[in-house]
Amino acid sequence: MLADRLKEKVSKALLDLAENIKPKVAKGKPFHFLHSFYDGNYTLMFQPGTTTKGKVHLRDGIDSKRTMFTVVIAMIPCLLFGMWNAGHQHFAPIIEIAERLISAISLDSLSQEVLWAKINALAAVDGGLADAMYEAGRRNLEGPELLSYIMPSIENIADAGFFSKFIYGAIRVLPIVVVSYVTGLGIEFAVAQMKGHPIAEGFLVSGMLIPLIMPVTIPLWMVVVATAFAVIIGKEIFGGTGMNILNVALTARVFIFFAYPTSISGDKVWIQDLVDGASGATALAQAFEGGVAGLSWSWFDMFIGSIPGSIGETSTLMILIGAAILIATGIGSWKIMLSVMLGAGVMGILLNIVGGMEGVENQFLAVPFYYHWVMGGLAFGAVYMATDPVTASQTEKGKWIYGFLIGFFAILVRVLNPAYPEGIMLAILFFNVFAPLIDHYIVEANIKRRLAYAKG
Amino acid sequence: MSTEVASKPIKTSEPLFSKKNMRLLSDPLNENNPITVQVLGICSALAVTAQVKPAFIMALAVTFVTAASNVFISLLRNLIPGNIRIIVQLTIVATMVILVDLVLKAYVYDVSKQLSVFVGLIITNCIIMGRLEAFAMGNKPWASFLDGIGNGLGYAAILIIVAIMREILGSGTLLGYQVVPQFMYDAGFANNNLMVVPAGALFAVGIIIWVQRAQNKYYETE
């Protein structure tokens, strides 16, 4: 088979290349400062020939690097949907305006003043139209000539379809992904080199999680600062990958949440280039204002995820696909995912009961519990972050308790504390801290039970 | 009658600025810093360091109180009954704090307002009680004075470093003057709110401890 032979040739060439480079990065050689980088890439492409040397180990081909990659793959549906949604949220309001504008121009039903005000508002949020206006201005076009010159750009907006939206979103989302990876891996490589450790793979997942829990409008320098903070203060000073107490990606988010609150909360940050007058409020903000009646979307819309929100968190459907990958490969704990949802449901029902009492005015309390599952970042946090094996409970019973409490408190914070709409972030971080305590009591209880059994 | 008094060898008293005494001043600045090594006086270090000016005044106040009460306790050290020494110490510290409070109110009223209860809370500052118990109760007044000044300065150094970090990052100013240029704000830079709240001070103190331990090659032992 040609394909097989090609594969063999390529992998042999790569292996030869790797073997050739190896002596150049050995200790004392001029390129030694790159040896961590070399090791990292070598073990990425080839399974290392060394095995564990400790006492009893389960030996498996799936090392932490391959575990991490599975999680990254499970996040791809969310990423792709997030790219499309970023474009969709930008285009949805202006498509409508452009369509009305086109029909108004053909009917000549608007006064010049109103017409140009609308066109200017559109040009303020659409690059193509702004460029056309600028070019027309340079050519001194006026009146009907100007209008016919910029007409294609307006039609272009009105015709924006799947690909325009996806590309628009991808152009905004990809830089955040790149910046997050470059910052985080740069720090990881530097630390590995300084301490003489091999490179830890922990950032492969965090680097993808960080962009997915940011609003699309987040300034890139904030991503750099937050990622550096999360990797250094959240992870490296505790001893690096596997030693951190708090989830790294959420540490980055919580840093921005408290350091630059206006960039990550409110109604204006979730949609890139929001046209004047359109609402950019998230489902949580709307539900806080007016309960279920205040929502612009149905339960199903929110399940599909074409709503404003952080890049990766909006689509519960895509998160379910990711969850299926994680559970099928045995990497994510279904117990944690399920118990977070259960905890959220129980809290939701409790709040519904309180909300149904006489004299209670808060409409957010009355939002049915199954709405909470698809609003905000609950599902995303449950699937990708509560399950983080480093920071979650390790005991099987502990996972149920840990997950349940996360869901329970996430909804409590979300509904009752308007200052912190994103309860899941705080709830996960809170129970990251409690996870060792939960484990401790589970283990103690096991010891006690078995001692009692042994005594008969 | 001539009396020949055999000249006894005079007991040489220690010079005022002997090496040993200077160590009393310099030790608390680094190796035995009250905040970063002994981890005392953290509350006020977190509370008053959002800006440099109140931090500076606070540092001065604590230095004065530590030194003065060290001297007084050292003078009284042989008269204080062991059973009630804490009460006596507190009385003297409280007197000093009231003095400081009145001076601040008279001369820098706005800062005094800003510091609010934290001036009064100097009484409970562990650094002061710690020095009285650990040093002034067993040493002579001059050494106690130096020890008080040294610990006050060690406290002051950390307070001012933290305050500089917090004021620049959190408000973009230093001593009230704009130091982050306007063009950076125009380019999208924003002040870090985390540095304005006390949690930011905790991170700042933590980072200082980290740097200091790395410098001094200090390692935690079991």
Side-chain angles (χ1 to χ4, degrees):
Chain A
M1 290 293 285
L2 190 67
D4 278 350
R5 280 177 52 193
L6 194 66
K7 212 170 108 191
E8 208 172 287
K9 273 243 160 77
V10 170
S11 61
K12 180 141 187 354
L14 276 175
L15 191 61
D16 285 348
L17 181 71
E19 292 300 330
N20 278 335
I21 295 174
K22 201 169 187 179
K24 295 198 178 76
V25 295
K27 204 160 184 158
K29 290 285 169 4
F31 292 106
H32 183 61
F33 70 95
L34 285 174
H35 82 95
S36 304
F37 183 74
Y38 169 81
D39 285 345
N41 283 304
Y42 180 81
T43 52
L44 190 67
M45 287 188 287
F46 305 104
Q47 204 148 51
T50 49
T51 50
T52 48
K53 293 191 186 69
K55 283 166 191 162
V56 183
H57 270 105
L58 287 178
R59 293 186 171 85
D60 192 343
I62 184 148
D63 55 11
S64 64
K65 196 161 283 183
R66 279 145 192 91
T67 310
M68 299 285 179
F69 262 105
T70 317
V71 183
V72 172
I73 289 166
M75 278 188 275
I76 297 290
C78 288
L79 178 70
L80 294 179
F81 186 89
M83 287 177 179
W84 172 80
N85 193 38
H88 178 71
Q89 294 305 325
H90 166 72
F91 276 112
I94 63 173
I95 286 176
E96 210 176 303
I97 296 175
E99 276 169 354
R100 265 186 283 150
L101 208 53
I102 290 167
S103 70
I105 290 168
S106 65
L107 295 172
D108 203 15
S109 62
L110 285 175
S111 71
Q112 286 293 310
E113 212 172 305
V114 175
L115 177 70
W116 286 107
K118 290 201 171 207
I119 291 177
N120 281 328
L122 263 190
V125 296
D126 186 85
L129 181 56
D131 288 348
M133 296 272 283
Y134 177 77
E135 186 61 26
R138 219 168 53 84
R139 296 185 189 182
N140 289 323
L141 299 178
E142 270 184 32
E145 276 181 330
L146 172 55
L147 201 56
S148 61
Y149 186 81
I150 61 173
M151 205 53 194
S153 304
I154 299 177
E155 280 166 358
N156 214 4
I157 299 174
D159 290 343
F162 177 82
F163 282 105
S164 320
K165 290 174 179 175
F166 185 81
I167 289 168
Y168 181 92
I171 290 172
R172 266 79 189 169
V173 172
L174 280 178
I176 306 178
V177 179
V178 171
V179 162
S180 144
Y181 267 118
V182 168
T183 314
L185 288 179
I187 294 170
E188 288 264 6
F189 278 31
V191 171
Q193 195 75 42
M194 261 160 35
K195 291 188 171 173
H197 290 173
I199 290 174
E201 300 84 354
F203 197 73
L204 288 177
V205 170
S206 307
M208 183 62 95
L209 275 174
I210 290 173
L212 290 183
I213 53 177
M214 297 287 166
V216 67
T217 60
I218 193 81
L220 291 178
W221 70 268
M222 284 184 194
V223 179
V224 174
V225 175
T227 308
F229 177 85
V231 174
I232 297 172
I233 305 284
K235 188 164 82 173
E236 292 304 340
I237 60 172
F238 289 103
T241 302
M243 308 296 281
N244 46 313
I245 295 170
L246 299 176
N247 183 292
V248 178
L250 277 180
T251 310
R253 193 180 200 276
V254 85
F255 175 81
I256 299 187
F257 188 77
F258 286 110
Y260 310 107
T262 50
S263 298
I264 203 163
S265 50
D267 292 350
K268 298 293 166 206
V269 300
W270 308 106
I271 299 174
Q272 180 82 36
D273 288 333
L274 186 64
V275 69
D276 261 0
S279 163
T282 60
L284 288 175
Q286 289 188 350
F288 182 75
E289 288 297 322
V292 176
L295 287 170
S296 311
W297 310 279
S298 66
W299 186 90
F300 192 72
D301 286 340
M302 295 194 287
F303 177 73
I304 297 296
S306 55
I307 55 173
S310 298
I311 294 166
E313 73 173 16
T314 57
S315 173
T316 313
L317 177 66
M318 295 298 149
I319 294 165
L320 277 182
I321 296 175
I325 296 175
L326 289 180
I327 293 170
T329 52
I331 284 169
S333 160
W334 61 271
K335 288 175 189 166
I336 294 179
M337 297 180 199
L338 186 66
S339 56
V340 173
M341 289 300 168
L342 276 180
V346 169
M347 191 68 202
I349 292 170
L350 281 179
L351 292 174
N352 287 167
I353 294 170
V354 174
M357 287 177 185
E358 246 174 85
V360 179
E361 295 289 315
N362 190 343
Q363 284 164 305
F364 204 177
L365 288 174
V367 171
F369 64 93
Y370 47 88
Y371 271 74
H372 282 299
W373 287 338
V374 293
M375 289 196 298
L378 182 81
F380 190 85
V383 170
Y384 296 107
M385 288 182 290
T387 54
D388 174 359
V390 176
T391 55
S393 270
Q394 305 295 317
T395 51
E396 297 302 308
K397 257 188 223 158
K399 284 176 184 170
W400 285 104
I401 300 171
Y402 164 84
F404 185 86
L405 290 174
I406 287 179
F408 195 79
F409 280 91
I411 302 303
L412 185 74
V413 174
R414 170 188 284 187
V415 175
L416 295 183
N417 191 339
Y420 302 133
E422 207 38 282
I424 184 73
M425 169 176 76
L426 300 166
I428 293 178
L429 288 173
F430 193 48
F431 285 98
N432 279 173
V433 177
F434 274 92
L437 187 73
I438 297 173
D439 282 342
H440 172 79
Y441 281 111
I442 301 283
V443 171
E444 288 291 306
N446 276 350
I447 293 172
K448 247 185 221 159
R449 186 169 45 79
R450 299 187 70 153
L451 271 181
Y453 178 77
K455 279 177 192 157
Chain B
M1 207 166 85
S2 67
T3 49
E4 284 274 333
V5 178
S7 59
K8 278 192 220 156
I10 302 162
K11 200 177 165 199
T12 48
S13 70
E14 212 179 333
L16 283 186
F17 294 100
S18 69
K19 213 165 199 174
K20 198 174 131 225
N21 280 344
M22 290 327 280
R23 280 199 68 79
L24 289 177
L25 264 182
S26 64
D27 248 16
L29 289 180
N30 187 5
E31 284 120 71
N32 207 7
N33 190 288
I35 295 186
T36 59
V37 178
Q38 300 174 20
V39 197
L40 297 175
I42 289 289
C43 328
S44 54
L46 303 188
V48 301
T49 49
Q51 281 166 341
V52 176
K53 198 174 166 194
F56 182 71
I57 302 283
M58 182 71 180
L60 273 186
V62 170
T63 309
F64 168 76
V65 174
T66 321
S69 36
N70 253 7
V71 169
F72 280 108
I73 290 293
S74 175
L75 287 171
L76 296 172
R77 69 184 187 279
N78 295 327
L79 302 174
I80 302 174
N83 291 340
I84 57 161
R85 65 183 196 285
I86 300 280
I87 299 171
V88 176
Q89 288 166 5
L90 266 182
T91 316
I92 287 178
V93 176
T95 315
M96 295 302 148
V97 170
I98 290 168
L99 272 179
V100 165
D101 196 24
L102 291 177
V103 169
L104 289 186
K105 278 196 179 127
Y107 293 100
V108 277
Y109 186 68
D110 54 327
V111 178
S112 156
K113 272 271 171 217
Q114 238 173 321
L115 291 173
S116 65
V117 296
F118 291 101
V119 177
L121 285 177
I122 294 176
I123 298 170
T124 59
N125 193 319
C126 309
I127 297 173
I128 297 166
M129 291 301 280
R131 288 337 286 170
L132 293 181
E133 274 289 287
F135 198 89
M137 288 299 285
N139 285 283
K140 290 186 173 167
W142 173 245
S144 300
F145 174 74
L146 290 179
D147 181 75
I149 294 282
N151 277 283
L153 290 181
Y155 174 82
I158 302 301
L159 234 65
I160 288 168
I161 295 172
V162 172
I164 289 174
M165 281 166 79
R166 285 181 71 187
E167 191 171 346
I168 292 180
L169 293 174
S171 321
T173 58
L174 195 58
L175 283 168
Y177 296 103
Q178 194 71 33
V179 287
V180 177
Q182 186 59 38
F183 71 83
M184 285 184 64
Y185 288 108
D186 295 339
F189 181 78
N191 287 331
N192 191 326
N193 259 21
L194 199 60
M195 280 293 159
V196 180
V197 295
L202 200 65
F203 287 120
V205 172
I207 290 169
I208 293 172
I209 292 178
W210 183 14
V211 171
Q212 193 191 12
R213 288 188 171 189
Q215 283 282 324
N216 295 352
K217 307 248 179 294
Y218 173 91
Y219 296 107
E220 199 78 34
T221 45
E222 286 286 311

